Amino acid sequence: QSLPRVLSGIQPTADSFHLGNYLGAIRQWVAMQETHDTFYCVVDLHAITVEHDPELLRQRTRVSAAQLLALGIDPDRATLFVQSQVPEHPQLSWVMECMAGFGEASRMTQFKDKSARQALDRVSVGLFTYPVLQAADILLYQANFVPVGEDQRQHLELTRDLAQRFNSRFGRTFTLPEAYIVKDTAKIFDLQDPTAKMSKSVPAGVVELLEDPKKAAKKIRSAVTDTGREIVYDTENKPGVSNLLSIYSALTGKSVADLEKAYDGRGYGDLKKDLGEVVVDFITPVQASVRSYLDDPAELDKLLAKGAERARAVAAKTLAQTYERVGF
Ligand code: ADP
Ligand code: NA
């Protein structure tokens, strides 16, 4: 009952999650259900900070939720919900915006990166305040831990600063969240450019969980490998092979050392062919499960409504206390 609480969110901005999302984040979400009181949300409010198509967003939100379920998020253990169904998120966000300094928010490097090379009138205020909404997402649930990658560290620092500031001005209201550094997180690299992380932008280098398995296997077989022929884990000199070994190890549970041994004296072609099969074996049942969730929209809606209701029970309490302290 008193398990430490975790909050994490994922954006519904693509048609499918990719292997990097799974091995770098979602897999840990699944594992944490055993050890933490977990709150996971599909952060659709964050998805409209840039131009978007409403019907596509609706579709992607459902598909994202279906994928999380298919990948092992158990709605009886975790509180799985869609952010826009819990109105306390933007409500708390406004209060937090009034706690944040303009200069402080201006220093967020992700905003600087995302807004660079654009006319400022084309950049939404929402993109600017995004990290404040993220702070509200976390603080609403009194989360003790937030699993974060390097790129989100600064936002978590902001969250802690805002919580601390509010607490000292108005009385202790928010738990200060800590970064949860997950062990065995695989950082997955692009198959065509193994020095860049696997991301949505370069299709040939990204294995999507919902893509045609034959296509996925082909992408693995066409992955860039390195000079030389030995199959050894060496991120410096063999980033391509090392990436394939990390994926292989993460999906099968075999250690990299065991894989190196198993492929001793064999070529890149063998490794890629076998890994292609491993990937197919992984995504095929996931796709069947996603389909079964999407084939029963009423049931999926019901499940998400239940999650939102559970989330609101916690969020409403935090918001009521916050409003009372602020003087509403
Ligand atoms: P993307 O980076 O493709 O835009 P997101 O930023 O929406 O994806 O990331 C969602 C989650 O997946 C985050 O926790 C992020 O750290 C993780 N993630 C994304 N890409 C990778 C990757 N290549 N390797 C490991 N983890 C990743
Ligand atoms: Na990212």
Side-chain angles (χ1 to χ4, degrees):
Q1 276 309 307
S2 57
L3 294 174
R5 188 169 284 167
V6 162
L7 179 287
S8 199
I10 194 156
Q11 286 207 48
T13 46
D15 293 326
S16 169
F17 294 140
H18 55 69
L19 267 186
N21 297 141
Y22 175 64
L23 296 175
I26 300 165
R27 194 170 60 133
Q28 284 68 33
W29 289 17
V30 173
M32 277 187 270
Q33 296 179 117
E34 311 293 325
T35 48
H36 293 76
D37 179 18
T38 49
F39 284 71
Y40 296 135
C41 61
V42 179
V43 291
D44 54 348
L45 294 176
H46 287 282
I48 66 163
T49 52
V50 292
E51 254 184 68
H52 77 287
D53 176 80
E55 226 16 84
L56 197 56
L57 175 59
R58 211 181 325 274
Q59 171 67 9
R60 286 172 167 178
T61 298
R62 303 179 64 80
V63 176
S64 297
Q67 285 175 97
L68 293 174
L69 292 161
L71 290 167
I73 300 301
D74 172 356
D76 291 325
R77 310 194 73 174
T79 301
L80 174 67
F81 64 102
V82 174
Q83 187 190 25
S84 63
Q85 293 179 13
V86 181
E88 285 80 2
H89 287 251
Q91 288 178 297
L92 182 65
S93 185
W94 173 251
V95 176
M96 288 301 135
E97 280 177 48
C98 296
M99 292 296 118
F102 184 81
E104 181 177 45
S106 305
R107 286 190 289 276
M108 295 297 116
T109 57
Q110 199 177 78
F111 175 77
K112 287 199 250 180
D113 293 346
K114 287 189 175 173
S115 60
R117 297 177 306 274
Q118 286 189 71
L120 276 186
D121 276 337
R122 303 201 57 96
V123 176
S124 74
V125 174
L127 188 67
F128 181 70
T129 57
Y130 179 116
V132 182
L133 176 59
Q134 211 172 42
D137 296 339
I138 296 165
L139 299 176
L140 267 178
Y141 299 97
Q142 309 287 355
N144 303 99
F145 294 104
V146 181
V148 280
E150 242 354 279
D151 55 336
Q152 291 296 327
R153 269 185 178 286
Q154 197 188 22
H155 291 176
L156 185 64
E157 270 317 302
L158 177 71
T159 303
R160 290 173 56 89
D161 289 345
L162 296 178
Q164 205 146 29
R165 195 170 305 153
F166 188 98
N167 286 350
S168 68
R169 279 180 62 185
F170 300 104
R172 219 195 107 67
T173 308
F174 299 113
T175 303
L176 294 198
E178 284 170 47
Y180 185 86
I181 308 299
V182 246
K183 277 178 254 144
D184 317 316
T185 340
K187 181 164 182 187
I188 305 302
F189 295 90
D190 189 283
L191 297 173
Q192 292 302 315
D193 173 10
T195 61
K197 76 165 201 169
M198 185 177 281
S199 193
K200 296 170 259 250
S201 40
V202 239
V206 176
V207 173
E208 295 191 332
L209 302 184
L210 300 183
E211 75 181 322
D212 176 1
K214 281 201 197 80
K215 249 169 128 180
K218 192 162 168 226
K219 284 182 184 174
I220 299 279
R221 288 198 306 271
S222 320
V224 167
T225 34
D226 316 283
T227 51
R229 29 187 337 178
E230 259 178 292
I231 295 174
V232 288
Y233 188 85
D234 173 355
T235 51
E236 190 71 13
N237 301 303
K238 287 177 173 271
V241 170
S242 302
N243 187 38
L244 297 177
L245 286 171
S246 319
I247 297 172
Y248 203 139
S249 166
L251 287 179
T252 60
K254 292 178 187 160
S255 74
V256 168
D258 283 349
L259 291 171
E260 286 174 335
K261 239 178 270 154
Y263 285 93
D264 186 29
R266 297 164 67 192
Y268 293 155
D270 282 351
L271 174 69
K272 292 198 274 188
K273 183 173 161 292
D274 293 351
L275 178 57
E277 284 166 18
V278 165
V279 167
V280 169
D281 289 346
F282 174 69
I283 64 177
T284 303
V286 169
Q287 293 182 5
S289 175
V290 167
R291 240 176 281 126
S292 75
Y293 282 109
L294 295 176
D295 282 348
D296 193 347
E299 187 57 32
L300 182 58
D301 284 346
K302 210 166 87 190
L303 195 151
L304 291 172
K306 239 198 212 152
E309 197 182 312
R310 254 160 58 194
R312 280 197 84 174
V314 178
K317 217 170 121 197
T318 304
L319 185 74
Q321 196 177 33
T322 308
Y323 270 21
E324 198 271 320
R325 298 230 154 125
V326 162
F328 295 152

